[in-house]
């Protein structure tokens, strides 16, 4: 009797104990919901923190240690402006003082350390035309969402003579969270709606279409529950929820789609329900497992990066992909066992055929594509490579950065306040670049150096002012250089490089004091450098592990090598098109995107990890069917054609679902999500069309049997590969010896479906031994 694989045994066990399996998953979902409601909100933060100590972090920590600076508070301000009155008018003063009193009455949990111009007589708090002033205060970081209470108070003071604006870190964080939640709702709605339509077309039945969507949602809920638990041990950035939703819908639906399709195919060819579930477990589930492992290994690269936003998104992606793999290999067989052939209920007229799909006939669009490509493989290969290289070229003009407040929509309160602050006071948010001087600041040489540096900063157009705060008793001085604009702009980032590379070396030549730069702009510069340093390490890590997994999956060194090259083409083309659309603005207006000066620093590395894993999904699913056919027939060209015919519709449907899910997240107004959603969507689209339909068949045609080359010295590798057992129903090719008797297509039915008598096993082909 044929030995069952562990994936088949798992599928059969879960199908046989279907109610126990469903009950366990139901309990997991309930516990996950409780964990999310109880803990998840308090575990999410908006700040991105380094886990190592670059110069900006070292300087900031030094300030905290010696000056006792408090990073638990956020700077905020309310701007009061009147077109008819000036700050010297008693009515203006009365309005500001009354507003100040009500703001302070909100209590220290909402507002602290507020001052007005009338209290300190600081001229920098008054606009040049004297028609505006601002009230700066601090908001506890843990309660930044209560900025809405500040808004409510301010709204009462918006009269015919006065306009009020809000801006600052708390307002920006609150607006960012609102945008992220809105983007998530849009992405979920669009993704689920399109997924249902595509699945209904692929399956031709409503019930079958609903199962993968349910599996995707279940994976998301359980992964969010795990995230809430992880969040009790460490801070997680708020982007993790978007990642879990996006990845959960994408891979959860895809994995279920492939397994469910294989079950329906086997049932249509005459296998009993439990045998069809077992066959799907032995083939599709095994492919899901290997592809899922590849995705997980690719995502591990994010967790080793020393920045909290990477670690958070990596953890979220790992949790949801792991949950999706587990659900598709356990919960799905149980649900299939419960529904049986009712998965084909609620048929859609004219879409679902009652006949079993025939992949032996060399007809249809996928057969035509394969014939066209393999008829002229060199031309197909070169033409596709030229197109992909052309898409990659713009990437070499990429500028790295992070979307600051200037790239947010104009309708947000924080953006409106920022624009007024910039226009009337010629300053950005109250987050200056800080130059920390560590040493004897009373020494003449050090004082001269500080004065020289201050003079250079005053002559730099990026800065509106440069104020020195000396602390001789602490052997420290801090130069606060206020940025005249967005601290995340390319100009602000370039100014940090000038300070470090030019200004400091030119002025501090005759002193032993150590000088370091910190602040938001400096953090961003260090962030870019660390990303550049870690990128080759993570690329090498992911590519090496993926090579090993694919080597074990297909017992070939050629398959993983070509797969890696093709996936790098997909990722590179995605990078180039992102630069073309977002940085250069070509097509941004048509697509409804915001043109910005830079691509998010974290995005290319993140996209590489995610896209490399997702691309391998399709590659594993396609090649698993190719290898099945090749092992049975030994005809490489026929195997490639069979693989594309048998998976083309599924891969296209799965890709459309992923594109819809990712594009849904790009429809919001948050630039970060626009770039991420567009990048993921366009890469999957390229991968499922040009790469999967042209590059793969053309390359495999040219390589021939060399595709399956494994050096003899690697024969010791464990034989756990995909496609070792071809479906027993297929007849061997005419050129090969026939088995002693034909396989049994319709085993004798029994009354108890959970105790099906195994069908008689066919004699194995002597070449398969």
């Amino acid at each position: 009797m044929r030995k069952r694989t562990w994936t088949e045994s798992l599928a059969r066990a879960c199908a046989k104990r279907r109610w126990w399996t469903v009950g366990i998953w139901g309990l997991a979902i309930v516990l996950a919901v409780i964990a999310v409601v109880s803990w998840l909100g308090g575990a999410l933060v908006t700040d991105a923190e380094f886990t190592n100590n670059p110069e900006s972090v070292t300087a900031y920590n030094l300030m905290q240690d010696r000056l006792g600076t408090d990073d638990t508070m956020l700077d905020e301000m309310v701007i009061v402006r009147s077109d008819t009155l000036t700050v010297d008018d008693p009515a203006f003063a009365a309005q500001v003082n009354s507003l100040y009193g009500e703001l302070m009455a909100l209590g220290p949990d909402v507002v602290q350390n507020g001052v007005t111009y009338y209290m300190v007589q600081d001229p920098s708090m008054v606009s040049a035309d004297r028609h505006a002033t601002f009230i700066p205060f601090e908001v506890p970081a843990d309660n930044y969402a209560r900025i809405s209470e500040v808004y409510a108070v301010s709204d009462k003071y918006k009269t015919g003579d006065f306009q009020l604006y809000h801006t600052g870190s708390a307002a920006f964080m609150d607006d960012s969270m609102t945008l992220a939640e809105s983007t998530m709702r849009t992405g979920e709605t669009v993704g689920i709606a399109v997924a249902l339509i595509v699945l209904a077309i692929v399956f031709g039945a409503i019930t079958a279409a609903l199962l993968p969507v349910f599996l995707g949602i279940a994976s998301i809920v359980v992964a969010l529950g795990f995230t809430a638990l992880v969040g009790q041990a460490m801070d997680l950035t708020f982007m993790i929820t978007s990642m879990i939703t996006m990845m959960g819908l994408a891979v959860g639906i895809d994995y279920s789609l492939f397994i469910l399709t294989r079950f329906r195919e086997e049932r249509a060819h005459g296998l009993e329900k439990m045998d069809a579930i077992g066959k799907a477990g032995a083939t599709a589930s095994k492919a899901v497992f290997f592809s899922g492992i590849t995705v997980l290994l690719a995502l591990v690269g994010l967790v080793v990066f020393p920045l909290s936003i990477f670690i958070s998104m990596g953890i979220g992606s790992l949790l949801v992909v792991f949950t999706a793999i587990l659900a598709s290999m356990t919960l799905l067989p149980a649900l299939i066992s419960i529904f049986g052939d009712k998965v084909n209920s609620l048929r859609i007229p004219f879409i679902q055929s009652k006949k079993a799909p025939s992949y032996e006939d060399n007809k249809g669009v996928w057969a035509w594509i394969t014939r066209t490509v393999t008829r002229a493989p060199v031309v197909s290969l070169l033409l596709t490579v030229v197109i992909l290289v052309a898409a990659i070229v713009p990437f070499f003009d990429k500028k790295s950065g992070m979307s600051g407040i200037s790239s947010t929509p104009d309708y947000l309160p924080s953006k409106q306040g920022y624009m007024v602050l910039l226009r009337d006071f010629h300053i950005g948010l109250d987050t200056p670049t800080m130059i920390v001087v560590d040493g004897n600041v009373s020494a003449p040489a050090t004082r001269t150096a500080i004065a020289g540096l201050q003079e250079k900063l005053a002559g730099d157009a990026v800065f509106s002012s440069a104020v020195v705060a000396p602390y001789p008793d602490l052997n420290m001085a801090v130069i606060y250089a206020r940025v005249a604009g967005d601290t995340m702009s390319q100009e602000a980032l370039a100014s940090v490089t000038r300070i470090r590379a030019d200004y400091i070396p030119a002025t501090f030549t005759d002193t032993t004091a150590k000088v370091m730069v910190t602040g938001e702009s400096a953090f961003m510069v260090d962030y870019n450098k660390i990303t550049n340093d870690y990128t080759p390490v993570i690329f090498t890590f992911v590519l090496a592990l993926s090579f090993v997994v694919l080597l074990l999956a297909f017992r070939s060194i050629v398959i993983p090598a070509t797969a890696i090259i093709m996936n790098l083409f997909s990722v590179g083309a995605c990078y180039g098109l992102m630069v073309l659309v977002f940085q250069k603005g070509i097509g941004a207006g048509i697509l409804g995107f915001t043109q910005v000066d830079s691509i998010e620093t974290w995005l290319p590395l993140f996209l590489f990890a995610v896209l490399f894993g997702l691309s391998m999904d399709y590659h594993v699913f396609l090649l698993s069917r190719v290898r099945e056919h090749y092992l049975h027939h030994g005809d490489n060209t026929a195997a490639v054609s069979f693989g594309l015919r048998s998976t083309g519709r599924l891969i296209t449907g799965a890709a459309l679902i992923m594109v819809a899910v990712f594009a849904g997240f790009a429809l919001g107004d948050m630039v970060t999500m626009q770039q991420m959603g567009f990048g993921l969507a366009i890469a999957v689209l390229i991968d499922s069309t040009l790469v999967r339909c042209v590059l793969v068949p053309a390359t495999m045609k040219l390589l021939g049997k060399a595709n399956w080359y494994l050096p003899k010295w690697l024969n010791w590798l464990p034989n756990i590969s995909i496609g070792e057992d071809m479906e027993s129903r297929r007849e061997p090719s005419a050129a090969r010896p026939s088995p002693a008797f034909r396989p049994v297509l319709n085993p004798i039915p029994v009354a108890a479906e959970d105790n099906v008598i195994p069908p008689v096993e066919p004699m194995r082909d002597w070449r398969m031994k």
Side-chain angles (χ1 to χ4, degrees):
M1 179 178 290
R2 176 178 60 88
K3 184 179 179 180
R4 293 174 179 172
T5 64
W6 71 269
T7 55
E8 178 181 355
S9 299
L10 178 63
R12 286 180 177 271
C14 293
K16 185 175 182 179
R17 298 167 179 81
R18 50 187 179 269
W19 293 113
W20 274 102
T21 304
V22 171
I24 292 172
W25 273 96
L27 179 62
I29 291 172
V30 171
L31 293 176
V33 170
I34 294 173
V36 169
V37 173
S38 303
W39 300 319
L40 185 59
L44 303 181
V45 298
T46 57
D47 293 335
E49 298 179 350
F50 292 104
T51 57
N52 59 357
N53 288 303
E55 179 181 321
S56 55
V57 173
T58 302
Y60 186 76
N61 290 339
L62 185 65
M63 289 178 61
Q64 279 190 310
D65 292 341
R66 297 191 189 176
L67 304 180
T69 53
D70 189 0
D71 60 356
T72 63
M73 305 299 292
L74 301 174
D75 295 319
E76 190 68 20
M77 65 177 66
V78 175
I79 304 169
V80 182
R81 179 171 181 81
S82 173
D83 293 333
T84 57
L85 304 176
T86 68
V87 295
D88 305 308
D89 193 295
F92 197 117
Q95 186 82 346
V96 170
N97 289 330
S98 179
L99 171 60
Y100 171 79
E102 285 205 45
L103 289 176
M104 293 302 105
L106 292 173
D109 290 341
V110 182
V111 175
Q112 296 182 24
N113 304 323
V115 295
T116 69
Y117 163 69
Y118 303 103
M119 296 169 60
V120 296
Q121 294 295 312
D122 183 351
S124 67
M125 296 175 65
V126 177
S127 62
D129 63 2
R130 303 194 68 79
H131 280 276
T133 185
F134 57 83
I135 303 174
F137 55 90
E138 293 180 329
V139 174
D142 293 340
N143 288 335
Y144 75 89
R146 294 184 68 178
I147 192 67
S148 58
E149 297 178 33
V150 175
Y151 294 166
V153 170
S154 300
D155 286 343
K156 296 188 299 183
Y157 289 85
K158 292 180 180 178
T159 65
D161 291 330
F162 294 94
Q163 303 95 47
L164 273 76
Y165 303 92
H166 303 268
T167 194
S169 301
F172 181 44
M173 288 170 61
D174 188 63
D175 285 344
S176 297
M177 289 295 290
T178 301
L179 274 179
E181 292 169 0
S182 173
T183 301
M184 284 180 60
R185 286 193 297 270
T186 302
E188 291 167 0
T189 303
V190 172
I192 292 175
V194 174
L196 283 171
I197 294 172
V198 172
L199 290 170
I201 294 174
V202 171
F203 288 126
I206 300 298
T207 303
L210 289 173
L211 276 181
V213 175
F214 171 75
L215 264 290
I217 294 174
S219 300
I220 291 170
V221 173
V222 174
L224 286 173
F226 283 134
T227 302
L229 295 178
V230 174
Q232 303 311 299
M234 59 183 292
D235 288 337
L236 300 170
T237 59
F238 73 97
M239 288 287 290
I240 191 173
T241 55
S242 300
M243 283 309 309
I244 288 175
T245 302
M246 187 166 56
M247 292 292 291
L249 285 176
V251 299
I253 291 174
D254 271 11
Y255 294 161
S256 303
L257 168 63
F258 283 98
I259 294 173
L260 182 56
T261 299
R262 189 60 182 259
F263 164 77
R264 294 170 80 240
E265 179 185 330
E266 299 299 339
R267 284 292 290 147
H269 282 90
L271 288 185
E272 291 293 333
K273 182 180 74 173
M274 292 298 291
D275 293 323
I277 291 174
K279 192 66 177 180
T283 54
S285 290
K286 195 173 185 181
V288 164
F289 175 76
F290 273 102
S291 63
I293 291 296
T294 308
V295 176
L296 291 174
L297 291 176
L299 293 171
V300 166
L302 297 177
V303 181
V304 303
F305 192 89
L307 191 74
S308 59
I309 189 171
F310 268 101
I311 295 172
S312 295
M313 290 193 295
I315 290 173
S317 300
L318 287 169
L319 289 175
V320 77
V321 172
F322 172 78
T323 307
I325 296 170
L326 193 61
S328 64
M329 297 181 69
T330 57
L331 179 58
L332 183 59
L335 292 174
I336 293 175
S337 180
I338 292 172
F339 281 94
D341 289 336
K342 291 181 180 178
V343 295
N344 298 319
S345 60
L346 301 177
R347 294 174 182 270
I348 302 174
F350 311 113
I351 293 181
Q352 187 185 60
S353 173
K354 294 184 179 181
K355 295 182 179 180
S358 176
Y359 303 127
E360 300 301 336
D361 295 334
N362 198 19
K363 298 178 181 178
V365 63
W366 302 109
W368 176 83
I369 290 174
T370 307
R371 285 197 305 271
T372 303
V373 172
T374 55
R375 196 173 289 147
V378 176
V379 175
S380 301
L381 183 66
L382 291 177
L383 184 61
T384 305
V385 169
V386 167
I387 294 173
L388 292 175
V389 169
I392 293 172
V393 169
F395 174 69
F396 295 101
D397 291 332
K398 180 182 74 72
K399 296 179 180 178
S400 297
M402 186 170 285
S403 299
I405 193 170
S406 60
S407 62
T408 57
D410 291 342
Y411 61 79
L412 294 178
S414 60
K415 175 64 173 293
Q416 293 174 354
Y418 166 77
M419 296 304 294
V420 173
L421 187 68
L422 191 62
R423 182 195 68 200
D424 292 352
F425 298 90
H426 304 292
I427 60 174
L429 298 184
D430 193 20
T431 51
T433 295
M434 294 167 283
I435 299 95
V436 180
V437 181
D438 180 19
N440 183 8
V441 296
S442 299
T446 306
R447 290 203 306 269
T448 301
I450 292 174
L453 178 57
Q454 188 179 12
E455 182 179 349
K456 287 184 176 294
L457 293 172
D460 195 318
V462 172
F463 303 104
S464 60
S465 63
V467 179
V468 180
Y471 304 97
D473 295 341
L474 301 175
N475 288 326
M476 173 186 282
V478 180
I479 304 174
Y480 294 90
R482 192 179 296 277
V483 178
D486 191 349
T487 56
M488 292 298 171
S489 66
Q490 289 296 309
E491 293 78 13
L493 302 188
S495 71
V496 173
T497 303
R498 283 197 301 276
I499 294 172
R500 287 174 171 173
D502 299 333
Y503 297 173
I504 292 176
T507 55
F508 279 81
T509 54
D510 298 327
T511 178
T512 58
K514 183 178 181 181
V515 186
M516 297 174 287
V517 185
T518 187
E520 283 190 353
S521 303
F523 281 128
M524 195 68 245
V525 171
D526 290 340
Y527 181 16
N528 289 342
K529 183 179 183 304
I530 291 174
T531 301
N532 293 334
D533 292 342
Y534 269 77
T535 293
V537 175
I538 294 176
F539 267 54
T540 304
F541 173 81
V542 171
L543 295 178
L545 289 181
S546 299
F547 185 93
V548 172
V549 171
L550 292 177
L551 172 64
L552 294 174
F554 295 104
R555 293 188 67 78
S556 165
I557 63 170
V558 177
I559 290 294
T562 55
I564 287 172
I565 294 171
M566 291 177 191
N567 289 338
L568 288 176
F569 268 119
S570 297
V571 174
C574 156
Y575 288 171
L577 292 175
M578 283 177 56
V579 172
L580 200 67
V581 172
F582 288 96
Q583 190 175 301
K584 298 183 180 297
I586 299 177
I590 298 174
L591 297 172
F593 296 147
T594 303
Q595 182 181 359
V596 289
D597 294 333
S598 60
I599 302 299
E600 297 286 315
T601 297
W602 58 272
L603 200 52
L605 191 55
F606 169 78
L607 287 178
F608 166 75
V610 174
L611 293 175
F612 192 84
L614 295 181
S615 296
M616 285 300 183
D617 269 355
Y618 298 141
H619 208 68
V620 169
F621 292 137
L622 170 60
L623 292 185
S624 64
R625 298 307 295 264
V626 172
R627 191 165 193 270
E628 282 186 53
H629 195 281
Y630 179 77
L631 289 175
H632 190 64
H633 295 282
D635 187 333
N636 181 74
T637 302
V640 173
S641 179
F642 172 82
L644 196 57
R645 293 197 307 272
S646 59
T647 62
R649 189 182 185 193
L650 292 181
I651 289 177
T652 301
L656 285 176
I657 292 170
M658 280 199 181
V659 169
V661 170
F662 298 146
F665 283 87
L667 293 177
D669 293 328
M670 196 172 186
V671 174
T672 300
M673 297 300 292
Q674 287 180 355
Q675 291 186 4
M676 182 171 66
F678 173 80
L680 289 169
I682 199 67
V684 170
L685 187 62
I686 291 171
D687 188 79
S688 61
T689 52
L690 292 177
V691 174
R692 241 27 82 194
C693 296
V694 182
L695 272 188
V696 171
T699 303
M700 295 192 76
K701 169 67 176 179
L702 290 172
L703 291 173
K705 291 186 177 182
N707 285 299
W708 314 105
Y709 172 69
L710 182 71
K712 291 182 179 180
W713 58 272
L714 287 178
N715 283 335
W716 59 270
L717 291 173
N719 193 354
I720 57 174
S721 58
I722 297 173
E724 286 298 320
D725 297 314
M726 186 64 180
E727 299 104 317
S728 60
R729 66 171 184 277
R730 299 197 185 281
E731 294 188 37
S733 62
R736 306 187 64 184
S738 299
F741 54 85
R742 295 172 62 86
V744 178
L745 295 182
N746 295 296
I748 301 173
V750 295
E753 62 181 12
D754 287 342
N755 296 290
V756 177
I757 299 173
V760 178
E761 289 289 327
M763 182 180 293
R764 288 179 178 251
D765 189 317
W766 62 275
R767 296 191 190 186
M768 294 290 289
K769 293 181 181 179

